[in-house]
Amino acid sequence: MTTTASPSPGTPSPPPGLRDFYENPAVPVASGPSRTLRQARVLARALGPAGASGPRTVLDIGCGDGTAAATAAPLLRGHRLIGVDWSQDALARARTRLPYAVRGELGGGGLPFASGAADAVLFSEVLEHLVDPDAALDEIRRVLRPGGHLMLSTPNLAAWYNRALLLAGVQPVFSEVSLRSVHGRPGAEVVGHLRLYTARALREFVAASGFAAVALEGAPFHGVPRVLRPLDRLACAAPSLASILLLHARRT
């Protein structure tokens, strides 16, 4: 992807090519701070202060280098924030920023947490990297308590500029056809996107996986050329056109 994503998610063990790709230290693993802060504010309001009901457990699944969780931590003060990732390289970096960072997979052996152990899950720009997103949401649902919160972000296949690019016969931004180089789309960075969602598809997918959508918002993308950024921010008013989809859902 050319997005700010966490391309080292806690996924089922990928094929050797993907495994090598995600363990490459040159692959970016940091999420965008502005989106992280927005998600953390929503979670802080949903969970309430730690003193009122005791600390809650928040899992940052696909934490990458821990930047996103460290950015969110001040807004979730008093709650227990745990980073989870599949990549050993990403975890080594995350442990310099987080008190808790553990290895886990969303498939295969599963996450190292009991059923219902988590009150909230941050899942920032991980979904688009997964071979088996169905198994991933099944595992997230398992570790969340009933009514627990899922904060998910992912690039929007139907972003306003992607609609124009497709009409012109150009490969959409965020989509990738190779792990080696970029072909047929704007941008120069390969980051390993396997799945892409529209706003409608994302809502339907999480509902089918046992979650009730609370809110869906749009967010801008840092990679949009500077001259077009005002338009990108304006598009956030209509999530179906926005660059990034921010979904708040609850486990049913």
Side-chain angles (χ1 to χ4, degrees):
M1 69 188 170
T2 54
T3 69
T4 55
S6 176
S8 28
T11 65
S13 295
L18 281 176
R19 184 183 299 114
D20 294 342
F21 178 83
Y22 288 129
E23 288 287 8
N24 182 356
V27 174
V29 292
S31 295
S34 62
R35 293 198 290 279
T36 297
L37 287 171
R38 284 179 62 178
Q39 292 176 305
R41 290 188 188 104
V42 172
L43 270 187
R45 290 193 298 268
L47 296 176
S53 54
R56 303 295 182 90
T57 298
V58 179
L59 307 180
D60 181 5
I61 297 178
C63 67
D65 65 3
T67 299
T71 301
L75 296 176
L76 299 171
R77 198 177 304 279
H79 296 298
R80 188 184 185 205
L81 187 56
I82 303 173
V84 184
D85 209 285
W86 170 84
S87 166
Q88 295 285 19
D89 175 76
L91 283 173
R93 287 180 276 172
R95 288 175 180 135
T96 67
R97 297 180 172 95
L98 303 174
Y100 307 104
V102 300
R103 190 178 189 278
E105 297 184 4
L106 285 168
L111 296 170
F113 303 100
S115 297
D119 298 284
V121 165
L122 284 167
F123 202 46
S124 296
E125 281 146 87
V126 177
L127 193 62
E128 63 271 17
H129 297 272
L130 301 181
V131 173
D132 189 349
D134 302 279
L137 284 200
D138 286 347
E139 182 63 1
I140 288 174
R141 190 175 187 276
R142 182 189 70 80
V143 299
L144 273 175
R145 63 170 174 79
H149 301 273
L150 171 64
M151 295 300 305
L152 183 158
S153 66
T154 192
N156 182 10
L157 174 61
W160 60 275
Y161 41 80
N162 278 345
R163 299 181 187 217
L165 289 172
L166 276 171
L167 285 174
V170 177
Q171 186 83 9
V173 175
F174 309 126
S175 66
E176 295 191 321
V177 299
S178 170
L179 291 178
R180 297 178 181 177
S181 57
V182 172
H183 300 287
R185 66 156 172 84
E189 192 172 50
V190 178
V191 286
H193 285 184
L194 304 178
R195 309 277 181 177
L196 287 175
Y197 300 79
T198 65
R200 178 176 178 176
L202 185 63
R203 281 182 177 274
E204 291 183 3
F205 176 60
V206 298
S209 301
F211 294 87
V214 176
L216 179 65
E217 300 179 6
F221 169 45
H222 74 283
V224 170
R226 187 176 300 275
V227 68
L228 295 177
R229 288 179 188 176
L231 184 57
D232 193 41
R233 289 192 294 269
L234 184 65
C236 293
S240 63
L241 296 174
S243 288
I244 306 295
L245 301 171
L246 304 179
L247 178 71
H248 174 202
R250 300 195 73 172
R251 181 199 185 280
T252 56

